[in-house]
Amino acid sequence: VCLVTYHIFFMLFIWSYWKTIFTLPMNPSKEFHLSYSDKESLEQEPRGESQQEVLRRAAKDLPIYTRTMSGAIRYCDRCHLVKPDRCHHCSVCDKCILKMDHHCPWVNNCVGFSNYKFFLLFLAYSLLYCLFIAATDLQYFIKFWTNGLPDTQAKFHIMFLFFAAAMFSVSLSSLFGYHCWLVSKNKSTLEVFRAPIFRHRTDKNGFSLGFSKNLRQVFGDEKKYWLLPVFSSLGDGCSFPTCLVNQDSEQ
């Protein structure tokens, strides 16, 4: 029973870790890129209101409701595109990433719209994996301290295994708990540090739709896929429903 349970956790952990690493972050679609004429107009105009007029004209038909701190259209001068809501430019990948959460060195990849579910499952299954190892090793760890084990080199392996699993469990539980809170509030790590600014005001809970709908935004409507590292998130990553009402007739 222990061997079967161990390998179930291990395979789910490896599967979700693999998907987190090798799923390419999604970039804004072509409609958000400036046309050649708009690029030329933007380069010719001096910085300021005249450039904003060019960007407003380019973004008039795009589903964009967030702004910069100054109320300007969010534009990436490296990718030459109007940024969709919740999109940010990653300095490591040198690309704009849809619903970017953070760049994770542990997976050597950006965590965003395309792989955020996989990242959450990776944290969950790695935590379960470590807890299971610590729990099954505990009785032998206690025997180690009470001199109940034979005097062989295996006793040091048992001690090392328990400490490694326990320490990873502590760090993973805090990180997993934090991201569970983010999912419940429909926030990204970047949005916690800088709340999204909408056309009329800043609203740190602007994308929160309630716990159930927030959960479905990441895991999807099909519950049978929730625990599997297969993509099931709702939407296209370029536009998101908000909780703002009677604020903007276009929304």
Side-chain angles (χ1 to χ4, degrees), residues 145-175:
W145 292 105
T146 57
N147 296 319
L149 288 178
D151 191 17
T152 64
Q153 289 185 349
K155 60 193 299 185
F156 297 105
H157 298 164
I158 288 169
M159 181 181 68
F160 175 79
L161 182 64
F162 180 82
F163 275 124
M167 286 188 294
F168 273 107
S169 297
V170 172
S171 58
L172 284 167
S173 61
S174 59
L175 185 59

Side-chain angles (χ1 to χ4, degrees), residues 48 57 73 81 95 102 106 118 144 160 166 168 176 187 199-200 225 237:
R57 187 171 64 248
I73 299 291
L81 56 82
K95 293 179 181 178
H102 67 290
W106 292 98
F118 306 147
F144 171 82
F160 175 79
F168 273 107
F176 179 62
K187 294 181 180 181
R199 289 177 179 175
H200 293 85
Y225 296 125

Side-chain angles (χ1 to χ4, degrees), residues 17-213:
Y17 189 39
W18 179 276
K19 293 285 284 187
T20 306
I21 294 174
F22 292 104
T23 300
L24 294 176
M26 287 180 65
N27 311 120
S29 55
K30 290 183 179 180
E31 61 181 329
F32 291 90
H33 291 258
L34 294 186
S35 64
Y36 181 77
S37 59
D38 285 334
K39 284 182 187 177
E40 280 196 330
S41 300
L42 198 66
E43 290 172 357
Q44 292 170 2
E45 295 291 347
R47 290 187 177 274
E49 184 59 32
S50 53
Q51 278 195 341
Q52 277 299 301
E53 186 57 39
V54 174
L55 292 176
R56 276 194 289 267
R57 187 171 64 248
K60 65 178 182 178
D61 296 324
L62 297 176
I64 295 173
Y65 303 105
T66 55
R67 297 289 186 267
T68 64
M69 295 182 69
S70 62
I73 299 291
R74 298 171 66 242
Y75 174 73
C76 179
D77 54 5
R78 293 185 65 86
C79 300
H80 304 292
L81 56 82
V82 176
K83 291 182 182 179
D85 293 342
R86 314 184 83 177
C87 173
H88 297 276
H89 187 88
C90 176
S91 58
V92 180
C93 299
D94 197 26
K95 293 179 181 178
C96 282
I97 309 298
L98 294 180
K99 196 188 175 184
M100 180 178 172
D101 188 87
H102 67 290
H103 186 91
C104 181
W106 292 98
V107 300
N108 193 32
N109 198 4
C110 257
V111 177
F113 176 76
S114 62
N115 62 352
Y116 187 64
K117 177 193 173 184
F118 306 147
F119 179 72
L120 279 172
L121 292 178
F122 157 62
L123 294 179
Y125 289 130
S126 55
L127 176 59
L128 287 173
Y129 180 63
C130 289
L131 287 173
F132 179 78
I133 291 173
T136 51
D137 191 41
L138 179 59
Q139 58 176 317
Y140 303 103
F141 180 74
I142 294 173
K143 287 181 180 180
F144 171 82
W145 292 105
T146 57
N147 296 319
L149 288 178
D151 191 17
T152 64
Q153 289 185 349
K155 60 193 299 185
F156 297 105
H157 298 164
I158 288 169
M159 181 181 68
F160 175 79
L161 182 64
F162 180 82
F163 275 124
M167 286 188 294
F168 273 107
S169 297
V170 172
S171 58
L172 284 167
S173 61
S174 59
L175 185 59
F176 179 62
Y178 173 69
H179 279 280
C180 285
W181 177 79
L182 289 179
V183 171
S184 70
K185 299 294 183 181
N186 202 351
K187 294 181 180 181
S188 67
T189 300
L190 293 176
E191 289 167 353
V192 170
F193 292 101
R194 179 177 293 177
I197 302 170
F198 294 88
R199 289 177 179 175
H200 293 85
R201 61 187 173 90
T202 300
D203 192 334
K204 63 181 181 180
N205 295 313
F207 292 108
S208 181
L209 309 171
F211 178 78
S212 178
K213 289 184 178 180

Side-chain angles (χ1 to χ4, degrees), residues 232-244:
S232 58
S233 301
L234 300 181
D236 58 2
C238 292
S239 60
F240 301 89
T242 71
C243 67
L244 306 178

Side-chain angles (χ1 to χ4, degrees), residues 215-228:
L215 194 66
R216 291 174 185 273
Q217 284 289 302
V218 176
F219 290 95
D221 291 327
E222 298 283 344
K223 292 185 178 180
K224 61 184 178 182
Y225 296 125
W226 282 13
L227 299 180
L228 297 176

